Amino acid sequence: DAGVIQSPRHEVTEMGQEVTLRCKPISGHDYLFWYRQTMMRGLELLIYFNNNVPIDDSGMPEDRFSAKMPNASFSTLKIQPSEPRDSAVYFCASSFTNLLGSEAFFGQGTRLTVV
Amino acid sequence: AQSVAQPEDQVNVAEGNPLTVKCTYSVSGNPYLFWYVQYPNRGLQFLLKYITGDNLVKGSYGFEAEFNKSQTSFHLKKPSALVSDSALYFCAVSLLSGNTPLVFGKGTRLSVIA
């Protein structure tokens, strides 16, 4: 398996524009997580899905952020409108249900810069 | 709610010396504990985990970690550091009750000096 695949790797956009980040989890994994990494806040969980259903979105910072998982092999994180303070590295991760505790596998991340 | 503390932002160690990266946790229940490493411009890579059993857990690249329930700690160790170990290290915790998301510490930057 190629691992968790995120696109794009880098995104530069102007303030006010819509940004869509994409993620393909590892095949067979039933959990998908979106994290954001900044110098100030470290790694923050934004939202996670189980079997394509959002379980907890309490980490989504504002209504400008939304996430979807239309099927088991694809998820998007959308920011509309984007603001400079959204600049960060966004990671997608996936794992599978395992009673012994399953580690999450991370994608390479999308570095978002909003100017 | 669970939380993780990594008290050191930066750890410097000479190549060949033993290294320790500290982590303490707080959970209401039995924890799953993890260590991840992040190299520049890369995602997080899994190093090792503690679920149950032996308190000393061995992982990738010669790393190990010791679970100490009384001190609520899970320090990462390596007997002999390499320059290539220089990276950002994250400790994480989740609950033993299922696939709750990992909660990460703020990370510790390890620099191994030749």
Side-chain angles (χ1 to χ4, degrees):
Chain A
D1 200 315
V4 176
I5 300 172
Q6 291 186 246
S7 63
R9 289 294 308 277
H10 302 274
E11 177 80 39
V12 179
T13 190
E14 292 185 346
M15 182 174 63
Q17 296 298 306
E18 177 180 298
V19 176
T20 299
L21 312 181
R22 296 172 175 79
C23 175
K24 181 183 187 322
I26 293 173
S27 177
H29 283 191
D30 55 352
Y31 280 83
L32 184 139
F33 310 89
W34 282 100
Y35 286 88
R36 177 171 70 174
Q37 184 180 31
T38 61
M39 289 289 291
M40 292 296 295
R41 294 174 174 267
L43 272 165
E44 304 172 276
L45 177 68
L46 300 178
I47 184 171
Y48 76 100
F49 297 82
N50 177 221
N51 291 321
N52 315 335
V53 176
I55 302 301
D56 185 355
D57 66 354
S58 60
M60 297 284 259
E62 298 172 36
D63 291 345
R64 299 183 295 106
F65 287 69
S66 62
K68 294 182 179 179
M69 192 166 186
N71 57 62
S73 59
F74 184 65
S75 176
T76 60
L77 178 67
K78 185 178 293 187
I79 308 173
Q80 165 64 17
S82 58
E83 296 183 5
R85 59 193 167 124
D86 302 330
S87 297
V89 181
Y90 291 80
F91 287 105
C92 176
S94 69
S95 68
F96 68 98
T97 302
N98 183 338
L99 292 178
L100 294 180
S102 177
E103 61 269 27
F105 293 83
F106 281 74
Q108 301 271 48
T110 295
R111 182 175 296 276
L112 173 65
T113 303
V114 183
V115 298
Chain B
Q2 57 263 39
S3 65
V4 170
Q6 293 182 245
E8 301 155 318
D9 291 335
Q10 173 94 29
V11 170
N12 298 319
V13 64
E15 187 176 30
N17 282 3
L19 69 87
T20 298
V21 183
K22 296 179 181 178
C23 170
T24 59
Y25 66 90
S26 174
V27 296
S28 53
N30 291 319
Y32 287 140
L33 293 159
F34 301 79
W35 276 101
Y36 283 78
V37 60
Q38 185 180 29
Y39 296 101
N41 301 314
R42 301 292 297 275
L44 277 71
Q45 296 178 32
F46 168 75
L47 274 180
L48 51 80
K49 66 181 177 183
Y50 171 83
I51 305 300
T52 187
D54 194 347
N55 289 343
L56 185 64
V57 179
K58 294 187 184 297
S60 306
Y61 312 121
F63 284 94
E64 57 189 29
E66 186 167 13
F67 171 65
N68 188 317
K69 188 172 183 178
S70 63
Q71 296 185 4
T72 62
S73 68
F74 189 57
H75 301 330
L76 182 70
K77 300 181 180 183
K78 187 173 182 180
S80 178
L82 301 172
V83 172
S84 56
D85 293 330
S86 299
L88 189 57
Y89 289 81
F90 290 94
C91 182
V93 66
S94 70
L95 290 175
L96 199 64
S97 57
N99 279 79
T100 54
L102 296 177
V103 173
F104 286 87
K106 292 214 164 186
T108 298
R109 187 164 300 282
L110 173 68
S111 290
V112 181
I113 304 158

